[in-house]
């Protein structure tokens, strides 16, 4: 019974993650545009909220990775970590163009992969 309950909790977490992930996918192009061309007074705050959201997603993924990858590895923790490290370096540089590039070229593709994998998973289990 405990395993079934844990599985249900993980599925619920993945549903929430799926919905939230869509918001981040939508937000990143807006952020990169602001960083590259049209910085606003609240761009840094917007960037911080996206980074916080990304951290939250990683926490949920860490707690559900065994379920997502139970049949085969669909999401690699090591791969995600390598993309996150590139973003971390860009954030440390505080250079808007580097942050925008990391968001667009490293993070957005990861979020799109997460979207695809979770979508396929939820279609199977629901």
């Amino acid at each position: 019974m405990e395993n079934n309950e844990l599985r249900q909790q993980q599925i619920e977490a993945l549903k929430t993650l799926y919905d939230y992930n869509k918001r981040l996918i939508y937000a990143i192009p807006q952020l990169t545009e602001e960083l590259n061309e049209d910085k606003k007074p609240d761009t840094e705050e917007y960037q911080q909220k996206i980074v916080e959201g990304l951290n939250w997603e990683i926490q949920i993924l860490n707690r559900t990775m065994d379920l997502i990858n139970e049949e085969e590895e669909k999401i690699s923790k090591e791969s995600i970590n390598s993309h996150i490290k590139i973003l971390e370096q860009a954030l440390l540089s505080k250079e808007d163009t580097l942050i925008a590039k990391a968001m667009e070229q490293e993070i957005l593709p990861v979020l799109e992969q997460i979207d695809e994998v979770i979508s396929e998973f939820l279609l199977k289990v629901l």
Side-chain angles (χ1 to χ4, degrees):
M1 183 70 180
E2 277 184 28
N3 283 342
N4 194 31
E5 187 176 322
L6 174 61
R7 182 179 174 86
Q8 262 326 109
Q9 289 174 352
Q10 287 176 316
I11 290 170
E12 289 302 315
L14 286 172
K15 284 190 223 175
T16 303
L17 175 62
Y18 179 73
D19 292 337
Y20 188 81
N21 190 58
K22 292 266 187 216
R23 294 183 194 150
L24 279 183
I25 289 171
Y26 176 78
I28 287 180
Q30 290 180 322
L31 175 64
T32 59
E33 182 179 325
E34 286 184 27
L35 289 171
N36 283 325
E37 302 163 17
D38 187 25
K39 193 160 186 178
K40 295 179 171 62
D42 67 343
T43 298
E44 286 182 25
E45 182 181 337
Y46 190 45
Q47 173 185 303
Q48 183 60 33
K49 293 292 180 192
I50 289 173
V51 170
E52 288 170 8
L54 186 58
N55 286 332
W56 178 82
E57 282 203 17
I58 290 167
Q59 289 175 3
I60 299 298
L61 277 174
N62 285 337
R63 293 184 177 126
T64 58
M65 196 79 74
D66 59 327
L67 183 63
I68 294 168
N69 291 333
E70 73 183 347
E71 293 176 11
E72 67 178 283
E73 185 175 78
K74 295 181 180 167
I75 295 179
S76 164
K77 193 178 207 176
E78 293 77 23
S79 174
I80 290 174
N81 286 341
S82 69
H83 294 284
I84 295 295
K85 284 181 182 178
I86 293 170
L87 175 61
E88 286 174 350
Q89 291 301 312
L91 291 169
L92 288 172
S93 78
K94 298 185 189 273
E95 291 185 35
D96 291 346
T97 55
L98 289 178
I99 295 167
K101 182 179 176 184
M103 286 285 187
E104 193 171 56
Q105 294 179 2
E106 302 295 330
I107 302 306
L108 189 56
V110 167
L111 295 177
E112 290 169 341
Q113 177 195 15
I114 290 168
D115 180 70
E116 184 180 318
V117 168
I118 293 175
S119 175
E120 288 174 11
F121 176 81
L122 291 175
L123 282 173
K124 261 197 308 189
V125 299
L126 298 179

